[in-house]
Amino acid sequence: MNKRIAFSISTVAAAGAGLYALRRQVIARALALPPVTTDVTVERGVPISMPDGTLLVADHYRPKSSAPLPTILIRTPYDRTGFAGIVRGFVPQRFAERGYHVIVQDVRGCFDSEGEFEPYFHEAGDGNATINWIVAQPWSDGAVGMWGPSYLGFVQWAAVSAENPHLKAIFPIITRSQLGGLSEHGFELDLIMRWVLLLDTMHNDRLPAWERLARQAWPARQNKLLGPAFDHLPLHEAASVALDQPPAFYQKWVENGNIDNDYWQKVDFRHAVPNAPPAHFVGGWYDFFITDLLDDYAMQRDAGLNPFLTVGPWPHAGTESQMQVLDQALHWFDAHLRGQPDVLRSYAVRIHVMGADEWIDLDVWPPSAEDHYLYLRGKGLYSGGLLTEEMPGQNESPDRYVYDPHEPTPNVGGPLISLDAGARDNRELEARHDVLTYTTEPLLAPFELIGTARLVLYVRTSAVSTDFFGRICDVHPDGRSLNICDGLFRYQPERGERQPDGSVRLVFELSATAHCFLPGHCIRLQVSSGAHPRLARNLGTGESFIYGTRMVVQHQTVYHDADHPAALILPRTHLLP
């Protein structure tokens, strides 16, 4: 028996050793990467001096070569060596073993790098200085590319704004060129508070390892810690409720308001997008940056450039958006840092069509589509109203609901920074008294929704200010109602088109998507007045939602008749085989 056990252990050990020896080939095949070309050494803790004398620390992944080679720069606030740096360590190794020098740097004020971390404000100068340091090294051939998701993508746009001629290509993932400020659709409470918690956790050495891991990866733990902050008013104190020592930048953010404020203009790099080096944009249909990423892509298209675009069924959190396009990143850098354009794919745009679970190639986004109108109607086969191609009649009664910000309509799934993001069953949400639903009859043929849907509502409200939230769901034959895309309109007296009878016509876009509703499924529209805490509740008073504390109940009326043809307008395509 002992010999058998020993033999088994030896066999497993030998197999493990064999797999370890072949790990690079196994990874390359699993991710469809080009062959490995070189061994790699890693130099840790390389200091790089900024013009003001501040030292930023980096790791250098160095391919074994005597000839100068191109470099890929990755700049992160998430600890280049810690838990959040796992992917950062995996990806640099993949680039380096294919002949690229890779510099992975902690941004100013984070972990080993000196200085104070004020999000966004030093990234242009520090990124530019780091590129200049790279090209001055004897191992550099003078060509630099940048890669990374989220904040690691934003720093690419910051560096682009410096117009450094050595920055030859970028690969921004689930990000946008302007990260700061408050949107016209309100305060992204969940995103901001969860991000502040993640940063605090990463820098808090007093926490046990298991607690740090839970706070970074487990939504239930995050929700418990942030629950009091989500419920607290006024919002400018929310970070103090969640954290013992809230970051100084949070107060600056809430004090400086929307993105047109002078404070935010300093870190708004949208002006640099039309003149950027070649960019391959990567987005996710369940990422909260998808609209802005597509706007950045469109700016480059309008400027006569030829950007690439890949969009998958991905949320913001997780690594799918990075791993599934790693081969495309290598091809992008091979083309633009090494002069090998033949490695690029034939089509500039590749998108995943959810529902059908198909990838399709396009010349440009968005594809040509026909506007398909689905009108809101009265009661249908379901407990709510009906969506139909037929216009409503004269005598259809409006729908009414009450939105109470003391007990705000909750958010379910969608574009979140946590692992709760994505498609979730909305049936419990749809059963609430403050959510209206309108549903088609079961489809007889596939329906492709690819592009940006629009919602036309005719409403009346008792409040000075209120929100109207629209969401499209795919209702499966078993009853599950899975969210596809959504959007919010913040109504104020100066917004919307006043009608002769006193109602107001609202027209607003939902987030872009690509989804095929299959035969037997139904298309459902939700209408409500909140998605808390993803978007901070509208208090209904017209006062500042940052400093306000008084809330009023909001009585909402949604009209759908011949004089008020409320409709969901879907961009319908016929692209799938």
Side-chain angles (χ1 to χ4, degrees):
M1 181 63 70
N2 290 337
K3 288 184 178 180
R4 288 183 179 180
I5 294 174
F7 178 78
S8 298
I9 293 174
S10 299
T11 301
V12 171
L19 285 174
Y20 182 79
L22 295 172
R23 68 192 184 283
R24 296 194 300 178
Q25 290 86 344
V26 171
I27 291 170
R29 177 167 295 186
L31 297 177
L33 304 180
V36 172
T37 61
T38 180
D39 291 329
V40 176
T41 59
V42 183
E43 183 180 359
R44 305 288 185 184
V46 178
I48 303 174
S49 182
M50 298 296 102
D52 63 355
T54 301
L55 292 180
L56 306 189
V57 177
D59 293 338
H60 181 188
Y61 294 75
R62 182 192 295 264
K64 290 188 176 179
S65 172
S66 59
L69 297 171
T71 303
I72 297 171
L73 171 62
I74 302 171
R75 308 188 64 244
T76 177
Y78 301 129
D79 187 2
R80 72 189 197 284
T81 64
F83 170 75
I86 291 175
V87 172
R88 265 45 97 180
F90 179 88
V91 172
Q93 186 74 28
R94 307 288 77 76
F95 288 147
E97 64 191 18
R98 287 160 180 83
Y100 288 98
H101 289 278
V102 184
I103 298 294
V104 185
Q105 181 185 66
D106 289 330
V107 302
R108 180 181 295 247
C110 290
F111 303 98
D112 291 337
S113 289
E114 297 176 349
E116 179 184 357
F117 179 57
E118 183 174 3
Y120 319 138
F121 277 82
H122 296 285
E123 309 308 354
D126 289 350
N128 185 54
T130 303
I131 292 171
N132 287 334
W133 176 87
I134 289 171
V135 300
Q137 305 309 305
W139 41 259
S140 168
D141 71 353
V144 178
M146 295 185 73
W147 175 96
S150 194
Y151 198 99
L152 288 71
F154 170 80
V155 299
Q156 298 175 52
W157 293 117
V160 164
S161 72
E163 300 182 350
N164 192 310
H166 298 284
L167 182 55
K168 303 295 186 181
I170 60 175
F171 203 87
I173 305 170
I174 54 172
T175 193
R176 64 188 183 192
S177 59
Q178 199 285 331
L179 284 188
L182 308 180
S183 78
E184 64 178 3
H185 304 302
F187 189 72
E188 295 171 316
L189 180 61
D190 183 276
L191 167 60
I192 293 173
M193 292 307 305
R194 213 171 292 266
W195 193 64
V196 168
L197 176 66
L198 289 172
L199 288 176
D200 178 77
T201 299
M202 290 178 185
H203 288 270
N204 192 341
D205 294 331
R206 301 185 304 275
L207 294 174
W210 65 266
E211 176 65 15
R212 297 179 74 181
L213 179 61
R215 291 188 181 194
Q216 292 181 63
W218 189 21
R221 182 60 179 155
Q222 297 169 354
N223 294 342
K224 183 176 181 180
L225 293 168
L226 294 174
F230 290 153
D231 293 337
H232 183 80
L233 292 175
L235 285 179
H236 77 90
E237 298 174 351
S240 299
V241 173
L243 305 173
D244 294 334
Q245 293 182 320
F249 64 75
Y250 177 84
Q251 199 61 33
K252 289 184 180 180
W253 287 5
V254 297
E255 288 175 354
N256 284 283
N258 65 45
I259 59 177
D260 296 324
N261 186 286
D262 290 342
Y263 176 85
W264 294 115
Q265 288 299 302
K266 298 174 184 176
V267 289
D268 183 345
F269 299 119
R270 287 176 291 187
H271 64 87
V273 174
N275 301 311
H280 187 144
F281 297 84
V282 177
W285 296 130
Y286 289 106
D287 176 37
F288 39 78
F289 290 147
I290 184 60
T291 297
D292 300 285
L293 180 136
L294 293 174
D295 285 345
D296 287 342
Y297 162 83
M299 278 195 282
Q300 289 215 329
R301 287 284 307 178
D302 292 344
L305 304 180
N306 186 32
F308 272 37
L309 172 69
T310 302
V311 187
W314 308 310
H316 193 85
T319 62
E320 296 97 328
S321 60
Q322 301 157 52
M323 295 298 100
Q324 292 192 34
V325 296
L326 189 54
D327 62 328
Q328 296 299 310
L330 279 162
H331 294 327
W332 193 250
F333 293 130
D334 285 347
H336 298 291
L337 302 187
R338 285 186 167 138
Q340 300 173 5
D342 291 345
V343 301
L344 293 177
R345 68 193 188 204
S346 301
Y347 291 87
V349 177
R350 178 168 293 165
I351 64 169
H352 183 271
V353 182
M354 300 181 295
D357 193 22
E358 295 279 353
W359 286 91
I360 61 173
D361 293 328
L362 305 169
D363 292 318
V364 66
W365 174 270
S368 297
E370 61 185 53
D371 281 345
H372 189 88
Y373 284 71
L374 291 175
Y375 294 95
L376 282 62
R377 303 292 302 276
K379 298 295 183 181
L381 298 176
Y382 299 88
S383 58
L386 186 67
L387 275 182
T388 175
E389 297 174 359
E390 297 178 2
M391 289 273 290
Q394 283 286 355
N395 300 319
E396 292 204 10
S397 299
D399 293 317
R400 294 181 173 87
Y401 66 95
V402 176
Y403 175 71
D404 185 352
H406 299 87
E407 298 180 4
T409 313
N411 178 75
V412 175
L416 301 171
I417 199 173
S418 78
L419 297 179
D420 281 337
R424 295 290 183 268
D425 192 342
N426 279 232
R427 282 179 290 184
E428 183 175 346
L429 174 67
E430 293 165 353
R432 288 176 58 99
H433 68 276
D434 54 1
V435 178
L436 303 178
T437 60
Y438 303 89
T439 310
T440 67
E441 295 184 351
L443 301 175
L444 300 179
F447 187 106
E448 294 177 23
L449 161 59
I450 301 181
T452 302
R454 308 190 305 279
L455 182 56
V456 180
L457 293 179
Y458 292 82
V459 302
R460 193 187 298 266
T461 180
S462 65
V464 175
S465 174
T466 194
D467 293 341
F468 286 96
F469 182 76
R471 166 172 276 188
I472 297 174
C473 291
D474 182 342
V475 182
H476 289 232
D478 62 7
R480 287 175 299 144
S481 180
L482 303 183
N483 52 292
I484 305 303
C485 62
D486 52 46
L488 181 139
F489 186 98
R490 174 144 291 188
Y491 168 76
Q492 294 169 328
E494 67 274 12
R495 302 191 71 197
E497 182 183 345
R498 184 73 59 178
Q499 302 298 294
D501 64 353
S503 64
V504 180
R505 182 177 185 265
L506 311 179
V507 181
F508 59 102
E509 292 184 342
L510 311 186
S511 56
T513 192
H515 187 86
C516 182
F517 297 86
L518 300 177
H521 291 225
C522 303
I523 302 171
R524 175 170 290 168
L525 170 69
Q526 293 177 16
V527 176
S528 64
S529 289
H532 187 78
R534 177 180 142 203
L535 299 168
R537 55 196 159 182
N538 192 319
L539 306 182
T541 63
E543 300 171 299
S544 167
F545 60 90
I546 296 297
Y547 297 101
T549 57
R550 186 172 64 89
M551 295 180 278
V552 298
V553 174
Q554 300 154 43
H555 296 266
Q556 319 290 49
T557 302
V558 177
Y559 297 90
H560 44 81
D561 55 48
D563 295 327
H564 307 88
L568 178 62
I569 307 173
L570 304 178
R572 187 173 191 178
T573 60
H574 303 277
L575 300 175
L576 293 173

